[in-house]
């Protein structure tokens, strides 16, 4: 058949190594313009295979046939008859993304007699390979020739590589188009986004301010509060049961504990508190809350509300901080009660739940067993527009200073996250609100914490205790408590002084403050003491609790951590456990 349109002649890259070299050189020719790169790839494809022309065909919208997108050495009028219904290219079937399209002799195919392209341009052979985008076939790179050809395996690999380069350009084009779309959307929402950032900055500045204040005063404030917690407790033990002063001293003691809770909330806000996690049962914490004075006051202030408790009898245990969990329960129950206007119900429930990894509902949770705390009310509900903001600090619909500080739910959120948990909130205005808190469950048994505390069972027998603290008031309080507990205490005001004491004579246990100024801090003090006595028993005592220092001290061998201001019970139990461990 006479060649009526394709007269292409080019150097013949006959050897496979020459073709590979040409393919390798191709990547040096490509620039940043994807459309120009596609033209370069088509030109080089034609040269490498010494073909009549090269084509890049794209699939139509129905993925049924190919349409000509670009090419090299395409003869005049070729594109006009390319889309004829009986065209070879409309009938070519691409089986899958890894299968080449090979026609070594088109004269021996049905297309030869019916395809106007083949007959007009005297096409004899075709080699093609699919081009993909996001793992989906979008087109075909092919080389056409006016002579029959047996395409080798090496040539198939070669065109596969060239098709892959087209795939990369298509992916770049796709990403660029996506970027332009996003850029357009960003421009449209720019003003709104800037307002959002401004609001976010204001909230961050509030948190930073509180963080600075809390970090600067918490250490000294906890030392001061120790006098309001420890001395009243000491007096209550020494006073006779019928003393008329007991009630007043109890009020002072309770006020000190409440003040300590406020400091703790500020530390939680700044993410500087360390939960003292033990194995606990959530039902027991709920029971302690319900029997406590805070809940009694709530019931008195809301007489029309019915408080229901539905606890699972077979509830699994969790690893957590009892005081933190109790604070969470209290905050949520108070919020629920205040949401109910008049007569209503607040329900506290606990149950076990297994979270499957295939569950879309809990996409932030790992697969496994969880203990769920559910607190429900039939009150006003939370408007949808507020649901995304309720855990922000200082965000409250209550009257600041009277019924809310704006910190309650933020403390809840921080606590749950500290316990590796998850919170889900559902609400419908004027109908209900449900908070569900998911805590990772454990099969370990709960740590023993006897309800009855008999001080005689926890007294020492003359063991030496060295108190290391830079606060005179804290040293004085601790020395008095230790003497009452039957220990032989002494105290120093700095880390260097503590090291000097240990160099002269042994001490059974040291009670070590982490934050001391001036001079070396508690961690450095403990490191130097361990050089003198590698098995020295130690208890970390601090109210500021900088995470890294505490963790390093515990890793070095400090047995326990006790939070200031500490109670006699806590101090006595911690000392007993450390000395007997």
């Amino acid at each position: 058949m006479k060649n009526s349109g394709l007269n292409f002649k080019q150097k013949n890259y006959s050897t496979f190594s020459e073709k590979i070299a040409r393919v390798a050189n191709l990547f040096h020719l490509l620039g940043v313009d994807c459309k120009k790169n596609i033209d370069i790839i088509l030109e080089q494809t034609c040269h490498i295979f010494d073909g009549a022309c090269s084509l890049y065909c794209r699939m139509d919208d129905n993925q049924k046939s190919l349409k000509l997108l670009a090419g090299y050495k395409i003869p005049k009028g070729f594109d006009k008859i390319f889309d004829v219904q009986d065209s070879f290219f409309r009938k070519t079937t691409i089986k899958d993304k890894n299968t080449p399209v090979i026609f070594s002799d088109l004269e021996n195919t049905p297309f030869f007699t019916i395809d106007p392209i083949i007959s007009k341009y005297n096409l004899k052979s075709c080699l093609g390979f699919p081009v993909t985008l996001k793992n989906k076939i979008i087109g075909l790179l092919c080389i056409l020739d006016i002579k029959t050809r047996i395409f080798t395996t090496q040539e198939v690999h070669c065109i596969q590589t060239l098709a892959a380069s087209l795939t990369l350009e298509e992916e770049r084009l796709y990403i660029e188009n996506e970027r332009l779309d996003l850029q357009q959307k960003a421009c449209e929402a720019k003003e709104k986004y800037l307002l959002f950032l401004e609001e976010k900055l204001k909230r961050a500045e509030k948190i930073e301010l509180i963080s600075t204040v809390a970090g600067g005063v918490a250490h000294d404030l906890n030392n001061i509060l120790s006098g309001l917690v420890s001395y009243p407790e000491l007096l209550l033990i020494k006073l006779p049961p019928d003393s008329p002063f007991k009630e007043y001293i109890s009020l002072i003691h309770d006020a000190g504990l409440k003040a300590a809770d406020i400091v703790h909330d500020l530390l939680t806000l700044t993410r500087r508190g360390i939960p003292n996690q033990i194995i606990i049962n959530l039902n027991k914490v709920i029971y302690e809350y319900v029997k406590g004075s805070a809940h009694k006051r709530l019931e008195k202030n809301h007489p029309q509300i019915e408080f229901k408790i539905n606890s699972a009898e077979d509830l699994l245990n969790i690893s957590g901080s009892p005081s933190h969990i109790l604070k969470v329960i209290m905050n949520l129950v108070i919020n629920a009660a205040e949401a109910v206007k008049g007569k209503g119900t607040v329900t506290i429930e606990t149950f076990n739940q297994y979270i499957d990894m295939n569950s879309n509902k809990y996409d932030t949770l790992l697969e496994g067993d969880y203990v769920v705390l559910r607190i429900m009310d039939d009150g006003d509900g939370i408007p949808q527009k507020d649901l995304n903001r309720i855990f922000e600090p200082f965000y409250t619909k209550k009257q600041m200073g009277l019924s809310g500080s704006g910190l309650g739910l933020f403390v809840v959120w921080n606590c749950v996250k500290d316990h590796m948990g998850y919170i889900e909130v559902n609400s419908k205005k004027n109908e209900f609100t449900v908070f569900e808190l998911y805590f990772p469950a454990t099969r370990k048994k709960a740590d023993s914490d006897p309800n009855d505390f008999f001080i005689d069972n926890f007294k020492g027998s003359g063991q030496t205790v060295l108190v290391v603290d830079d606060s005179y008031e804290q040293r004085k309080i601790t020395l008095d408590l230790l003497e009452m507990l039957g220990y032989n205490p002494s105290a120093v005001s700095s880390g260097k002084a503590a090291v000097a004491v240990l160099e002269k004579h042994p001490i059974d246990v040291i009670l070590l403050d982490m934050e001391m100024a001036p001079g070396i801090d508690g961690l450095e003090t403990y490191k130097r003491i361990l050089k003198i006595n590698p098995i020295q028993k130690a208890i970390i005592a601090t109210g500021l609790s900088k995470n890294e220092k505490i963790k390093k001290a515990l890793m070095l061998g400090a047995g326990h951590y006790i939070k200031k201001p500490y109670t006699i019970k806590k101090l006595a139990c911690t000392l007993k456990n450390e000395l007997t461990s």
Side-chain angles (χ1 to χ4, degrees):
M1 182 178 286
K2 185 179 178 183
N3 176 14
S4 59
L6 296 177
N7 234 345
F8 174 73
K9 278 201 176 248
Q10 182 69 25
K11 176 183 176 182
N12 181 13
Y13 292 92
S14 56
T15 67
F16 179 62
S17 60
E18 288 176 329
K19 286 183 171 64
I20 290 297
R22 188 79 180 204
V23 171
N25 186 61
L26 166 67
F27 296 103
H28 296 289
L29 302 176
L30 301 180
V32 296
D33 189 324
C34 296
K35 293 181 180 179
K36 287 184 179 180
N37 289 344
I38 290 174
D39 291 336
I40 293 172
I41 292 169
L42 289 168
E43 178 185 355
Q44 294 302 309
T45 299
C46 192
H47 293 343
I48 290 168
F49 282 90
D50 191 24
C53 68
S54 58
L55 306 176
Y56 179 30
C57 313
R58 288 292 296 269
M59 293 288 244
D60 64 9
D61 295 338
N62 298 321
Q63 296 283 302
K64 296 291 186 181
S65 61
L66 296 166
K67 291 181 177 293
L68 182 62
L69 180 69
Y72 181 72
K73 289 292 184 180
I74 299 175
K76 187 176 181 180
F78 189 90
D79 55 329
K80 294 181 180 178
I81 63 172
F82 185 87
D83 200 31
V84 174
Q85 186 64 35
D86 292 328
S87 167
F88 154 73
F89 293 99
R90 289 185 63 87
K91 298 293 185 180
T92 297
T93 301
I94 302 176
K95 294 181 180 180
D96 62 67
K97 63 181 181 179
N98 295 315
T99 301
V101 176
I102 302 175
F103 292 96
S104 297
D105 186 359
L106 284 169
E107 287 188 353
N108 291 323
T109 68
F111 300 113
F112 183 73
T113 57
I114 62 174
D115 191 331
I117 295 179
I118 295 176
S119 57
K120 183 174 180 178
Y121 297 103
N122 194 27
L123 300 178
K124 297 293 182 66
S125 57
C126 172
L127 172 64
F129 205 89
V131 177
T132 61
L133 178 63
K134 298 178 76 68
N135 214 31
K136 180 181 178 181
I137 296 174
I138 62 166
L140 181 74
L141 169 66
C142 57
I143 185 76
L144 299 175
D145 209 344
I146 57 175
K147 58 181 179 292
T148 58
R149 295 177 62 166
I150 302 298
F151 295 104
T152 66
T153 302
Q154 289 85 356
E155 286 178 317
V156 171
H157 289 324
C158 190
I159 200 167
Q160 181 180 9
T161 303
L162 293 165
S165 66
L166 275 181
T167 292
L168 290 175
E169 297 303 323
E170 289 286 5
E171 288 178 349
R172 287 179 60 201
L173 275 173
Y174 177 83
I175 293 171
E176 178 64 16
N177 290 334
E178 286 282 295
R179 186 188 67 80
L180 291 174
D181 288 342
L182 289 173
Q183 192 175 40
Q184 183 178 355
K185 292 176 182 178
C187 289
E188 292 171 354
K190 184 176 181 180
E191 189 63 31
K192 183 178 179 181
Y193 184 63
L194 287 174
L195 289 174
F196 166 75
L197 288 179
E198 185 179 350
E199 212 44 50
K200 190 174 181 180
L201 178 61
K202 288 180 181 178
R203 292 197 298 269
E205 287 174 345
K206 288 180 183 178
I207 296 175
E208 183 63 27
L209 176 62
I210 293 295
S211 176
T212 302
V213 173
V217 305
H219 180 260
D220 292 336
L221 189 55
N222 272 317
N223 285 336
I224 294 170
L225 287 174
S226 294
L228 294 175
V229 174
S230 301
Y231 274 133
E233 192 176 18
L234 188 60
L235 289 171
L236 288 171
I237 292 174
K238 292 186 175 183
L239 284 174
D242 57 348
S243 172
F245 299 109
K246 271 206 164 186
E247 181 180 358
Y248 305 119
I249 295 172
S250 294
L251 290 173
I252 296 173
H253 181 252
D254 290 343
L257 291 174
K258 289 176 184 177
D261 283 341
I262 293 172
V263 174
H264 175 71
D265 281 351
L266 290 176
L267 291 175
T268 301
L269 171 65
T270 60
R271 307 288 288 177
R272 299 178 72 179
I274 295 180
N276 184 24
Q277 296 197 4
I278 59 174
I279 305 301
I280 58 175
N281 189 276
L282 191 56
N283 286 342
K284 183 178 178 182
V285 181
I286 293 171
Y287 176 81
E288 290 176 357
Y289 162 71
V290 171
K291 296 300 180 183
S293 58
H295 188 68
K296 297 298 182 185
R297 285 194 300 271
L298 190 66
E299 288 180 315
K300 184 178 180 181
N301 294 334
H302 299 274
Q304 291 184 290
I305 296 179
E306 181 185 4
F307 293 90
K308 294 182 178 180
I309 311 292
N310 298 324
S311 302
E313 294 183 359
D314 60 343
L315 194 69
L316 296 171
N317 293 326
I318 64 173
S319 175
S321 166
S323 60
H324 284 64
I325 299 294
L326 192 144
K327 185 72 173 178
V328 165
I329 296 168
M330 182 177 70
N331 285 351
L332 291 177
V333 173
I334 290 174
N335 281 358
E338 292 180 349
V340 178
K341 300 297 185 285
K343 189 175 181 180
T345 305
V346 173
T347 305
I348 305 173
E349 291 184 354
T350 60
F351 55 92
N352 300 319
Q353 182 160 334
Y354 180 81
I355 302 299
D356 191 280
M357 66 183 298
N358 296 320
S359 174
N360 295 324
K361 184 178 179 182
Y362 312 104
D363 54 352
T364 59
L365 288 178
L366 298 175
E367 182 179 8
D369 290 311
Y370 287 82
V371 172
V372 183
L373 169 65
R374 177 187 290 159
I375 297 179
M376 303 179 290
D377 68 74
D378 52 8
D380 289 345
I382 304 172
Q384 192 65 35
K385 63 183 179 66
D386 294 328
L387 275 178
N388 292 330
R389 299 194 62 191
I390 59 174
F391 295 112
E392 294 178 8
F394 308 108
Y395 185 77
T396 180
K397 293 297 184 180
K398 303 174 185 178
Q399 188 174 353
M400 282 290 249
L402 294 180
S403 60
S405 64
L407 295 179
L409 286 179
F410 186 74
V411 169
V412 169
W413 185 87
N414 269 343
C415 178
V416 173
K417 294 303 176 184
D418 284 339
H419 286 75
M420 307 302 291
Y422 168 82
I423 305 177
E424 183 174 4
V425 186
N426 290 304
S427 185
K428 191 170 183 180
K429 192 167 177 60
N430 298 323
E431 291 192 23
F432 67 87
T433 298
V434 181
F435 280 80
E436 288 186 347
L437 280 57
Y438 292 75
F439 297 98
T442 179
R443 301 284 176 174
K444 295 179 181 179
K445 291 184 179 181
D447 294 343
S448 59
D449 184 19
N451 293 324
D452 297 325
F453 174 70
F454 299 104
I455 194 167
D456 290 343
N457 295 337
F458 289 88
K459 282 190 173 183
S461 54
Q463 294 96 330
T464 54
V465 181
L466 178 63
V467 179
V468 187
D469 203 300
D470 60 341
S471 167
Y472 169 78
E473 293 83 2
Q474 187 66 38
R475 294 197 302 273
K476 180 70 170 65
I477 293 167
T478 307
L479 287 173
D480 291 342
L481 293 178
L482 290 171
E483 287 179 357
M484 189 272 293
L485 288 171
Y487 292 98
N488 179 18
S490 57
V492 292
S493 60
S494 68
K496 289 185 70 174
V499 174
V501 170
L502 268 294
E503 286 176 337
K504 293 179 180 178
H505 52 78
I507 296 291
D508 291 318
V509 63
I510 56 175
L511 195 60
L512 181 61
D513 185 20
M514 276 284 106
E515 298 297 322
M516 295 183 290
I520 59 175
D521 62 17
L523 179 60
E524 180 60 28
T525 300
Y526 188 49
K527 288 179 179 178
R528 296 187 186 185
I529 288 174
L530 288 177
K531 292 179 180 179
I532 302 169
N533 181 6
I535 58 172
Q536 176 64 57
K537 292 182 179 293
I539 297 170
I540 304 302
T542 183
L544 190 56
S545 39
K546 288 187 177 179
N547 288 346
E548 289 306 313
K549 287 185 180 180
I550 295 292
K551 289 179 180 179
K552 287 180 180 178
L554 294 174
M555 288 177 62
L556 287 172
H560 292 81
Y561 159 76
I562 184 169
K563 186 170 74 72
K564 296 179 184 177
Y566 36 76
T567 62
I568 292 176
K569 176 181 177 181
K570 187 65 178 177
L571 180 62
C573 292
T574 304
L575 279 167
K576 195 76 171 178
N577 290 334
E578 178 67 11
L579 288 167
T580 56
S581 63

